[in-house]
């Protein structure tokens, strides 16, 4: 059962029902992707919701998600298709030695011996799917070229078998952590969506969605601290994923405020480099302490207010 979105607003609410809070640009590009049948290249730092967008689109449209996780050295055999050598070998052994080569060959290069990998699976699916090509920047340009061919023709040519043409048109999302520049050719073919860190308001909504039990005050403070932390010159700034983890941790610990003490205790949930930890403790910790002193003893116990 695959539904198509009729408007940007409908796309946004569909995604929200699927647990994904999209801003204007996300909703717009997702809507256009379905309508124009163009792949979307989603780029941005780790942990800002790139992969989740594809998953949510699949849930929202009732389509199956076919995922190709990219890595260094990924090749056609793992992305497109490969032959099931073991099965072919078995068949050769079973067939009587009097069978001619041509006969055997026709036999072992049939569909029965083909192992479809995500790209072929997505293209030959009887019902339209969402195809997620995750972390494309981890592959090389050669792979990109192969991908371009598949994405422009929507067909795969298998020398021994012939051309497999797409029966249905998938919604295609490619994600990139921006670790290398992708080719212009690929970008030209795609709609582009840059996902950065969200605004305070949106991040608060996302955190509330994932941890509805967390008090509004703590959630709010947490997100504000996150934004302070991101302003520092860190090796690896924390993402939405870390905000959610932190919210879950604070909930578990029963924290009633995000003060200097709480930050010190739980900092390793959000920053994961030695030097980053020091920097956050020093800069953000001090700010929280000052805020507590200014607010006076009612809103937060001033611990060692003298410094
Ligand atoms: N707009 C959003 N609405 C709901 N959850 C989100 C949103 N953006 C990010 N998240 C959550 O943040 C976490 C990280 O997202 P993910 O898609 O894995 O990041 P990326 O692929 O960009 O590294 C996931 O748990 C995801 O559910
Ligand atoms: Mg991801």
């Amino acid at each position: 059962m695959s539904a198509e979105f009729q408007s940007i607003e409908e796309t946004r609410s569909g995604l929200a029902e699927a647990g994904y809070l999209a801003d204007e640009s996300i909703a717009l590009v997702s809507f256009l992707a379905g309508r124009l049948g163009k792949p979307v290249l989603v780029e941005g730092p780790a942990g800002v919701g790139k992969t989740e967008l594809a998953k949510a689109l699949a849930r929202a449209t009732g389509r199956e998600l076919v995922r190709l996780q990219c890595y260094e050295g990924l090749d056609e055999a793992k992305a497109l298709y490969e032959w099931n050598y073991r099965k072919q070998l078995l068949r050769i052994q079973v067939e009587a030695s009097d069978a001619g080569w041509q006969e055997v060959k026709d036999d072992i290069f049939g569909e029965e011996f083909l192992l479809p990998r995500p790209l072929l699976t997505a293209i030959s699916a009887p019902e339209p799917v969402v195809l997620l090509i995750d972390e494309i920047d981890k592959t090389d340009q050669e792979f990109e070229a192969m991908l371009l061919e598949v994405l422009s023709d929507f067909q795969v040519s298998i020398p021994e078998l012939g051309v497999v043409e797409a029966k249905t048109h998938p919604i295609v999302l490619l994600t990139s952590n921006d670790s290398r520049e992708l080719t212009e050719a690929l970008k030209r073919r795609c709609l582009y969506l840059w996902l950065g860190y969200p605004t305070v308001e949106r991040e608060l909504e996302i955190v509330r969605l994932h941890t509805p039990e967390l008090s509004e005050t703590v959630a709010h403070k947490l997100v504000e601290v996150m934004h302070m932390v991101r302003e520092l010159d860190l090796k690896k700034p924390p993402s939405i994923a870390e905000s959610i983890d932190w919210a879950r941790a604070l909930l578990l610990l029963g924290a009633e405020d995000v003060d200097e003490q709480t930050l010190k205790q739980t900092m390793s949930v959000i920053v994961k480099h030695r030097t980053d930890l020091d920097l956050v403790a020093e800069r953000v910790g001090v700010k929280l302490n000052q805020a507590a002193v200014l607010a006076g003893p009612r809103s937060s116990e001033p611990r060692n207010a003298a410094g």
Side-chain angles (χ1 to χ4, degrees), residues 45-52 67 69 132 134-135 175 177:
V48 292
K50 302 184 296 296
T51 303
E52 190 60 33
R67 179 175 184 169
Q69 180 61 52
L132 164 63
D134 214 9
E135 306 188 356
T175 79
N177 285 350

Side-chain angles (χ1 to χ4, degrees), residues 19-22 26 45-53 134-135 177 202 206 209-210 240-241 244:
Y20 193 91
L21 302 176
I26 298 177
V48 292
K50 302 184 296 296
T51 303
E52 190 60 33
L53 175 59
D134 214 9
E135 306 188 356
N177 285 350
R202 179 154 309 278
I206 296 172
L209 179 77
H210 285 265
I240 302 177
I244 296 170

Side-chain angles (χ1 to χ4, degrees), residues 77-263:
K78 288 284 173 284
L80 265 179
Y81 70 88
E82 61 189 325
W83 291 102
N84 189 338
Y85 297 121
R86 282 163 194 256
K87 204 168 164 189
Q88 285 177 323
L89 213 63
L90 271 174
R91 172 57 67 90
I92 294 169
Q93 282 169 352
V94 167
E95 283 195 18
S97 51
D98 50 54
W101 164 240
Q102 193 57 45
E103 225 172 291
V104 177
K105 191 176 142 217
D106 287 348
D107 199 15
I108 61 171
F109 287 107
E111 238 168 89
E112 190 194 338
F113 297 91
L114 195 67
L115 289 174
R117 298 303 182 199
L119 294 180
L120 184 61
T121 304
I123 275 196
S124 54
E127 295 288 330
V129 301
V130 172
L131 171 63
L132 164 63
I133 301 170
D134 214 9
E135 306 188 356
I136 174 80
D137 52 327
K138 287 199 177 143
T139 64
D140 51 25
Q141 296 201 350
E142 224 169 279
F143 185 86
E144 249 182 73
M146 185 279 290
L147 198 59
L148 266 176
E149 218 178 289
V150 176
L151 294 184
S152 56
D153 302 344
F154 277 100
Q155 62 178 35
V156 173
S157 158
I158 303 173
E160 301 88 346
L161 206 63
V163 175
V164 182
E165 280 183 42
K167 297 192 184 83
T168 52
H169 212 99
I171 293 179
V172 185
L173 258 81
L174 300 104
T175 79
S176 162
N177 285 350
D178 204 16
S179 72
R180 75 170 170 87
E181 191 74 28
L182 301 172
T183 59
E184 282 305 320
L186 183 80
K187 287 192 169 171
R188 214 177 309 126
R189 192 145 302 284
C190 298
L191 298 170
Y192 187 74
L193 176 64
W194 170 263
L195 277 192
Y197 300 115
T199 60
V200 170
E201 294 75 35
R202 179 154 309 278
E203 189 159 14
L204 184 58
E205 277 184 76
I206 296 172
V207 165
R208 301 278 288 152
L209 179 77
H210 285 265
T211 48
E213 309 90 340
L214 192 68
S215 85
E216 177 92 47
T217 354
V218 175
H220 207 273
K221 189 88 175 272
L222 175 156
V223 171
E224 277 180 347
V225 171
M226 266 331 224
H227 281 248
M228 276 190 228
V229 170
R230 278 186 205 132
E231 268 167 29
L232 303 174
D233 188 19
L234 298 183
K235 258 195 186 149
K236 165 75 181 73
S239 65
I240 302 177
E242 274 85 21
S243 296
I244 296 170
D245 284 346
W246 201 22
R248 292 200 174 121
L250 293 183
L251 188 65
L252 264 175
L253 298 172
E256 282 165 9
D257 187 15
V258 188
D259 51 17
E260 192 185 8
Q261 178 77 6
T262 317
L263 176 70

Side-chain angles (χ1 to χ4, degrees), residues 257 259 287-297 299-303:
D257 187 15
D259 51 17
K287 267 193 197 172
L288 289 177
N289 196 14
Q290 284 167 351
V293 173
L294 286 176
S299 72
S300 170
E301 287 173 36
R303 245 176 303 268

Side-chain angles (χ1 to χ4, degrees), residues 249-277:
L250 293 183
L251 188 65
L252 264 175
L253 298 172
E256 282 165 9
D257 187 15
V258 188
D259 51 17
E260 192 185 8
Q261 178 77 6
T262 317
L263 176 70
K264 279 210 168 126
Q265 273 172 354
T266 55
M267 209 161 46
S268 56
V269 179
I270 56 169
V271 275
K272 292 151 190 179
H273 282 279
R274 181 72 228 274
T275 46
D276 288 355
L277 284 168

